[in-house]
């Protein structure tokens, strides 16, 4: 059975259990003390970010290191990641924003894939963000300045489960179809479709955050797709399609790739 046929149950699974998205009375007490980040945690997160960035050997400097996402708000839960954003002026790296973004995305994906660091019981997820890019979030805290950039508001919300399911399921089906195109060896079409889907997913989350914030249908559908491995599969097959499309007369044996949670 294909995974998207099980999406009617995905909202009730532990990694997307909506009872965990309830509004808390306080900020996560293991991270925050009197609305300030715990000093030892702050220093540890800064070191993690700098260790990652120093290994990239780029000429630009770090403008700031911030925490955002649910760990910096009242919607935190036991499964919340610590979204650690490293702010860098992309124009100071090589002046080509798209190439720079692709480079940082690849490096942070590799880091996130090969590391499983927990701080105060929460997994650390690293992102490299262009300093000049507008970032939409309910709460943002600067670790380097040790102060709030945007203090979160405690707001009640209503979750529309059916609409979220429909939105996520539609994109999941598209990703399944893109994989079928790849398996049919139509690599150019698979790659073009994967690029289109990647842009669709990107716009999905951006639209939701800008219109209704973190509890928008679009953003929660994005989270469901990510937690079920669909975004990983999309990225993997996009890269595979490109490699096959650009290869000529390879004598190497084909590797039978099995994507986790995929086929």
């Amino acid at each position: 059975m294909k995974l998207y046929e099980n999406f009617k149950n995905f909202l009730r699974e532990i990694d997307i259990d909506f009872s965990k998205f309830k509004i808390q009375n306080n900020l996560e007490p293991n991270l925050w003390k009197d609305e300030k980040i715990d000093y030892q945690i702050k220093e540890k997160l800064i070191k993690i970010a700098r260790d990652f960035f120093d290994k990239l050997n780029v000429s630009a400097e770090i403008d700031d290191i911030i925490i955002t996402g649910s760990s910096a708000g009242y919607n935190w839960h036991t499964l919340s990641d610590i979204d650690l954003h490293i702010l860098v002026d992309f124009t100071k790296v090589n002046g080509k924003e798209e190439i720079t973004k692709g480079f940082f995305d690849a490096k942070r994906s590799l880091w996130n894939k090969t590391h499983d660091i927990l701080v105060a019981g929460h997994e650390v997820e690293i992102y490299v963000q262009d300093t000049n890019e507008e970032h939409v979030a309910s709460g943002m805290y600067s670790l380097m300045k040790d102060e709030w950039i945007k203090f979160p508001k405690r707001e009640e919300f209503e979750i529309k489960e059916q609409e979220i399911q429909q939105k996520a399921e539609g994109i999941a089906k598209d990703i399944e179809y893109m994989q079928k195109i790849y398996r049919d060896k139509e690599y150019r079409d698979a790659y073009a479709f994967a690029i289109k889907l990647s842009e669709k997913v990107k716009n999905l989350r951006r639209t939701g955050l800008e219109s209704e914030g973190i509890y928008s249908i679009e953003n929660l559908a994005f989270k469901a797709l990510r937690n079920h491995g669909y975004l990983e599969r999309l990225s993997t097959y996009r890269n595979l399609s490109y490699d096959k499309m650009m290869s000529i007369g390879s004598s190497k044996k084909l590797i039978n790739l099995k994507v986790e949670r995929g086929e």
Side-chain angles (χ1 to χ4, degrees):
M1 181 180 292
K2 294 182 180 179
L3 283 181
Y4 67 75
E5 294 176 352
N6 292 324
F7 257 57
K8 64 182 179 180
N9 297 318
F10 76 87
L11 294 176
R12 296 174 178 83
E13 294 185 6
I14 188 169
D15 58 346
I16 200 69
D17 182 353
F18 281 93
S19 67
K20 297 180 183 299
F21 282 87
K22 65 181 180 180
I23 295 297
Q24 306 285 354
N25 292 323
N26 302 293
L27 297 174
E28 218 287 41
N30 293 314
L31 297 175
W32 307 95
K33 309 296 181 185
D34 297 324
E35 298 181 349
K36 299 276 285 187
I37 192 74
D38 179 86
Y39 175 79
Q40 290 184 331
I41 290 176
K42 180 191 73 171
E43 293 299 307
K44 180 65 69 175
L45 291 173
I46 289 175
K47 179 168 176 52
I48 291 170
R50 290 196 178 280
D51 284 348
F52 164 81
F53 193 77
D54 289 346
K55 293 178 181 178
L56 301 182
N57 294 319
V58 296
S59 56
E61 298 291 331
I62 295 176
D63 291 332
D64 203 353
I65 302 169
I66 67 173
I67 296 181
T68 186
S70 57
S71 293
Y74 289 98
N75 61 312
W76 62 270
H77 53 87
T78 56
L79 297 173
S80 292
D81 294 331
I82 295 177
D83 292 338
L84 193 62
H85 286 228
I86 303 171
L87 272 57
V88 179
D89 188 342
F90 283 13
T91 63
K92 294 181 179 179
V93 179
N94 60 20
K96 298 180 180 179
E97 183 179 344
E98 290 185 1
I99 295 176
T100 301
K101 185 179 186 307
F103 170 76
F104 284 138
D105 284 347
K107 293 298 185 181
R108 76 103 184 170
S109 294
L110 178 61
W111 189 93
N112 288 332
K113 180 180 179 181
T114 55
H115 291 82
D116 186 19
I117 296 177
L118 296 178
V119 173
H122 298 276
E123 186 174 354
V124 177
E125 284 273 343
I126 281 183
Y127 300 85
V128 183
Q129 177 185 328
D130 188 353
T131 304
N132 303 305
E133 175 188 348
E134 182 182 4
H135 183 65
V136 181
S138 61
M140 291 181 284
Y141 190 91
S142 168
L143 294 176
M144 293 177 66
K145 298 175 183 177
D146 199 15
E147 63 184 27
W148 287 98
I149 299 171
K150 180 181 179 182
F151 191 83
K153 295 180 180 179
R154 189 178 183 277
E155 299 175 330
E156 297 296 337
F157 64 99
E158 178 183 358
I159 298 212
K160 303 174 181 177
E161 296 188 19
Q162 185 176 5
E163 294 182 44
I164 298 166
Q165 178 179 326
Q166 291 174 350
K167 179 74 69 175
E169 183 174 334
I171 296 177
K173 289 181 179 179
D174 286 343
I175 294 173
E176 293 274 8
Y177 183 67
M178 180 271 299
Q179 291 178 255
K180 179 183 180 301
I181 297 173
Y182 174 85
R183 290 193 294 268
D184 290 341
K185 300 183 179 180
E186 298 174 7
Y187 303 127
R188 188 173 298 276
D189 289 343
Y191 179 72
F193 195 26
I195 292 295
K196 182 178 180 179
L197 286 175
S198 297
E199 189 65 24
K200 183 177 182 179
V201 169
K202 178 182 177 181
N203 291 334
L204 177 79
R205 191 181 200 193
R206 177 186 297 170
T207 299
L209 288 172
E210 291 177 352
S211 63
E212 298 181 38
I214 58 176
Y215 299 115
S216 66
I217 292 170
E218 294 84 357
N219 188 48
L220 291 174
F222 173 91
K223 286 179 176 290
L225 289 165
R226 181 187 64 188
N227 287 4
H228 277 264
Y230 275 93
L231 301 188
E232 180 182 357
R233 292 163 64 183
L234 175 58
S235 176
T236 297
Y237 277 89
R238 182 186 62 205
N239 294 336
L240 284 171
S241 298
Y242 178 84
D243 291 349
K244 294 293 186 183
M245 183 178 68
M246 300 303 291
S247 298
I248 298 177
S250 174
S251 61
K252 294 181 178 179
K253 294 182 179 179
L254 297 179
I255 298 175
N256 182 22
L257 174 71
K258 293 184 179 179
V259 179
E260 198 170 316
R261 296 183 300 271
E263 303 175 51

